[in-house]
Amino acid sequence: MTQQPRGPVDSSRTPRFAGFATFARLPRLDEVEHADVAVVGVPFDSGVSYRPGARFGPSAVREASRLLRPYNPGLDVSPFERLQVADAGDIACNPFNIGEAVETLQDAAAAFDSRLVTIGGDHTIALPLLRAVAAKHGPVALLHFDAHLDTWDAYFGAEYTHGTPFRRAVEEGILDTEALSHVGIRGPLYGRRDLEEDRRLGFGILTSRDVMRMGVDEVVDALRQRIGDRPLYISVDIDVLDPAHAPGTGTPEAGGLTSRELLEILRGMAGANLVGADVVEVAPAYDHAEITSIAASHVAYDLVSLLALKEKP
């Protein structure tokens, strides 16, 4: 007999502002026999190029997730009833050695039997997470929400930063170059060559202007056609949102998506072959009223819900 998943703490018995701040008040990984999905934090921001502070993102997102409830009406699913979801705590990485941190995270991610929804941390962490996923599924499709391309070659000679993970991933052959998409790109670039090199790597771009002009439904249709039924990894840099919706991030750019647009595009991926996901670059020191952390907690919740929809009721 299949054991009933253990869900969040009952808020009618323990107030939401009390108790341990696990994601969505779910049990810890060591409190369940098995987890179908593990929510794991990576408090690492040594790869940032501007404002630091994303190392405090996982704890801020967990705190903001206290108000999440068991039923997701946007996707018509109760994810914590379909799947055993647990908070796996944080993966501790060396903050003084990026290369070592990348290896540590890759090994830790590969050791999980559960599918991962990862809370960062800066976007450097996407590379080792993709390596771990590709080791199990082969090259994966990538849906990347971000203000920035993150396909630059290097900063100050450093090849592993939050602006380079997806170039490295293409070079390493762990991405399916027929199914790579950026959504929400905007802001000044170093030159036209940035876009030309990005296209050469195989990426399609839907800018924040495209989202505004096309609308959510047309954007979703274009993405689904590109992704097909391939194994899919979704990576969400919270700076894809306009600073009005996510001020607490390291490299804000004006003219971004609303939180409503981001969530609706994610919900449009229902039924996709999602194998892993992350939400990164929450830097709470620049936040106020938990605006950014709340948005990120809802993104993570919808990512868990998309994984739950893969399972039969």
Side-chain angles (χ1 to χ4, degrees):
M1 182 176 178
T2 303
Q3 186 175 5
Q4 183 70 17
R6 179 176 167 185
V9 172
D10 185 349
S11 62
S12 69
R13 295 178 177 273
T14 305
R16 295 185 181 280
F17 45 81
F20 293 103
T22 58
F23 181 78
R25 309 184 82 208
L26 288 162
R28 300 189 311 268
L29 186 61
D30 61 0
E31 294 178 315
V32 296
E33 292 183 3
H34 168 75
D36 302 296
V37 175
V39 179
V40 62
V42 182
F44 175 85
D45 65 0
S46 299
V48 300
S49 57
Y50 192 47
R51 302 193 305 196
R55 66 184 60 184
F56 301 109
S59 59
V61 173
R62 287 189 177 100
E63 188 66 32
S65 75
R66 287 178 177 270
L67 199 55
L68 295 173
R69 300 178 183 89
Y71 173 64
N72 185 336
L75 286 165
D76 188 23
V77 65
S78 297
F80 311 138
E81 292 181 8
R82 288 206 182 193
L83 300 176
Q84 180 61 70
V85 187
D87 190 321
D90 290 340
I91 297 171
C93 300
N94 188 336
F96 304 109
N97 186 317
I98 294 178
E100 181 182 324
V102 167
E103 291 180 4
T104 298
L105 178 51
Q106 180 181 345
D107 291 344
F112 279 95
D113 293 328
S114 315
R115 285 164 287 169
L116 298 184
V117 172
T118 306
I119 304 169
D122 76 56
H123 225 153
T124 310
I125 72 172
L127 177 62
L129 293 170
L130 284 166
R131 286 174 176 171
V133 167
K136 297 177 181 178
H137 300 278
V140 296
L142 175 69
L143 178 49
H144 170 222
F145 293 88
D146 205 320
H148 311 95
L149 299 170
D150 288 2
T151 53
W152 286 280
D153 190 26
Y155 286 106
F156 294 89
E159 295 183 345
Y160 299 99
T161 76
H162 75 161
T164 65
F166 302 121
R167 178 183 284 254
R168 299 287 91 82
V170 170
E171 292 171 347
E172 294 178 15
I174 57 178
L175 293 181
D176 184 336
T177 54
E178 296 297 315
L180 307 179
S181 298
H182 302 298
V183 179
I185 303 301
R186 64 188 187 278
L189 297 169
Y190 297 106
R192 184 182 294 273
R193 183 180 175 185
D194 291 345
L195 296 172
E196 294 169 350
E197 290 190 356
D198 192 77
R199 282 192 290 269
R200 181 180 59 80
L201 293 170
F203 281 89
I205 298 175
L206 288 170
T207 67
S208 60
R209 293 176 63 197
D210 293 329
V211 173
M212 176 190 69
R213 295 177 189 279
M214 294 167 63
V216 167
D217 291 344
E218 190 174 341
V219 167
V220 167
D221 184 61
L223 293 173
R224 295 196 69 108
Q225 287 187 43
R226 190 172 181 87
I227 294 164
D229 60 358
R230 297 173 175 88
L232 171 65
Y233 188 91
I234 297 179
S235 186
V236 181
D237 186 327
I238 205 64
D239 74 21
V240 72
L241 299 180
D242 189 88
H245 297 266
T249 192
T251 48
E253 306 280 359
L257 274 60
T258 67
S259 54
R260 179 175 59 240
E261 287 172 329
L262 173 57
L263 292 172
E264 286 303 314
I265 294 171
L266 285 173
R267 291 165 185 166
M269 295 299 110
N273 186 17
L274 185 63
V275 295
D278 64 58
V279 54
V280 299
E281 299 285 354
V282 174
Y286 313 106
D287 207 3
H288 57 274
E290 295 184 301
I291 292 173
T292 312
S293 301
I294 289 169
S297 72
H298 281 263
V299 168
Y301 177 59
D302 272 20
L303 291 170
V304 171
S305 297
L306 288 174
L307 288 169
L309 285 171
K310 290 180 61 180
E311 303 296 323
K312 294 182 180 179

